[in-house]
Amino acid sequence: MSTTTTSHHDAHGHDDHGHPTGLMRWVKSTNHKDIGTMYLWFSFTMFLFAGALAMLIRLELFQPGLQFVRPEVFNQLTTLHGLIMIFGAIMPAFVGFANWQVPLMIGAPDMAFPRLNNMSFWLLIPAAILLLASFFVPGGAAAGGWTMYPPLSVQGGMSIDMSIFALHILGVSSIVGSINIITTIFNMRAPGMTLMKMPMFVWTWLITAYLLIAAMPVLAGALTMLITDRHFGTHFFNAAGGGDPVLFQHVFWFFGHPEVYIMILPAFGILSTIIPTFARKPLFGYASMVYATAAIAVLSFVVWAHHMFTTGMPVAGQLFFMYSTMLISVPTGVKVFNWLATMWKGSMTFETPMLFAVAVVFLFTIGGFSGLVCAILPVDIQLQDTYYVVAHFHYVLFSGAAMSIMGGVYYWIPKWTGHMYDETLGKWHFWLTTIAFNVTFFPMHFTGLAGMPRRIPDYSQQFAEFNMISSLGAFALGLSQLLFLYVVIKCIRGGAKATNQVWEGAHGLEWTVPSPAPFHTFETPPLVK
């Protein structure tokens, strides 16, 4: 970049060297760090928006009776909260981490296809606008839930078409980004960086990228069939025309189950980076971690119908999916064991990233156990569509994925900004988030076991106390994320200088790997800088 103070900007927003400046620097950026930063800010914006929807849901459920929103608006809140959290918050955040860290960790100058990288980010913006706007058009964002089950999703208004189109665009973005990540990892590793020497985070993203390429077209197929049912007179899911609504569930969950692992595998990679650093020991059982990740990826395609135990499947099918679901908990258990063994007899210190990592291991394990409970066929027939399931997947997705993202931000933000974050405020954010999360979701195990159905705006008096506790926890959880925003902005704007060895210990290497200077242009970058 230009070092002279006299450089002027031309009418097209470029400096003397032809590099975009100002807003154009971001719009045209082909630099993996800038694009990673944009992914992370986009994700955090969506996280706050979807969290606000969740707080409205909990406001309505604060006490029995209909208070704040009409039942159809309540359905829209649950639908959009799910879609935006999954496709707008969790997934883009992990892609942001991949953009920032994968090239640095494997010694590559950038991603393999920098312009494709730019495209895969900017596709998110129209998709997000469509998703958010679907809330405001007549008919609202569908009673079919985030899963968009027919027949409800066949009958709704144009908001459902907007949601479907948004998901198509997000799917294209994911597939394109995954191709980019796989190509980068296979073709651009530094000399000597064999596959079995790659950091665990790179491995988890390599496997996640394959899952995305396999799963997203399946979702596209289900949504395309849904669109033709809605507008072109087909009857894929219409029983009156010889179709089958349960077919949609099979196709959807054949995407949806790998999807939940797409949202947790990069989190495992982040944990496998943070824990060895603060235990000051190498990761225990590196090879077994790689194989466990691959095993999870393969098995994630043969467990989909455990979401459908109450749809009238043959008993043989039910038994297969029960056993395969129990089997997939084995490689996950291997990972938890390896993290605990990494911490065992380590010289541990508990800075904010490590606090998040330890909490994730503990809380994610609770979510894993409740998932094992749901895998037991006769038990799940009782628990299907109750708040027990809501508790289960939030323990996996919030305390597994979202809190890993927070820990990863605290871990890498000194590298990204050159400044240290405020450790005291970071710890405040950790404790507020962790306590509020458990206050919100732990009582849902009890309301679910007692039979309270999910996605219903009103409920029986017997559930009032637990719902009040959950709602108070949810408000605290939402507000504590504003502290996170403050810590991040404060760190970006200044603070103590970060050193080369931010986290002392055996794993400081990635801090000292010099990364190439940013090159923001659509021109061909010079080979010699």
Side-chain angles (χ1 to χ4, degrees), residues 368 400 457 528:
V528 181

Side-chain angles (χ1 to χ4, degrees), residues 311-393:
T311 56
M313 240 187 305
V315 174
Q318 290 178 326
L319 288 175
F320 169 80
F321 287 107
M322 178 169 87
Y323 292 135
S324 64
T325 304
M326 292 181 171
L327 185 62
I328 203 168
S329 65
V330 175
T332 315
V334 168
K335 285 178 167 294
V336 173
F337 174 81
N338 284 8
W339 291 322
L340 295 177
T342 304
M343 291 188 256
W344 182 252
K345 293 195 174 179
S347 310
M348 287 203 290
T349 55
F350 294 97
E351 288 86 345
T352 310
M354 186 60 164
L355 287 174
F356 272 103
V358 173
V360 169
V361 172
F362 177 69
L363 296 173
F364 174 80
T365 304
I366 292 177
F369 277 129
S370 62
L372 210 48
V373 171
C374 291
I376 303 167
L377 181 65
V379 176
D380 186 73
I381 287 170
Q382 288 296 310
L383 297 180
Q384 170 92 7
D385 269 333
T386 67
Y387 265 80
Y388 190 90
V389 178
V390 179
H392 155 65
F393 68 71

Side-chain angles (χ1 to χ4, degrees), residues 37 69-70 97 219 250 253 444 507-508:
T37 301
V69 294
R70 300 190 310 279
F97 279 115
L219 175 66
H250 278 292
W253 285 115
M444 292 184 189
H507 295 266

Side-chain angles (χ1 to χ4, degrees), residues 169-188:
I169 298 171
L170 290 165
V172 172
S173 169
S174 291
I175 291 167
V176 166
S178 300
I179 291 168
N180 207 345
I181 288 167
I182 290 171
T183 310
T184 306
I185 293 172
F186 278 138
N187 291 348
M188 298 178 70

Side-chain angles (χ1 to χ4, degrees), residues 21-58:
T21 56
L23 180 64
M24 280 298 110
R25 168 196 152 173
W26 298 96
V27 173
K28 293 184 172 183
S29 179
T30 54
N31 173 254
H32 71 100
K33 299 176 179 179
D34 281 355
I35 294 172
T37 301
M38 290 195 291
Y39 264 110
L40 288 163
W41 275 115
F42 172 84
S43 147
F44 193 60
T45 308
M46 292 289 111
F47 178 66
L48 292 179
F49 185 86
L53 298 180
M55 289 166 81
L56 287 172
I57 291 170
R58 290 310 323 172

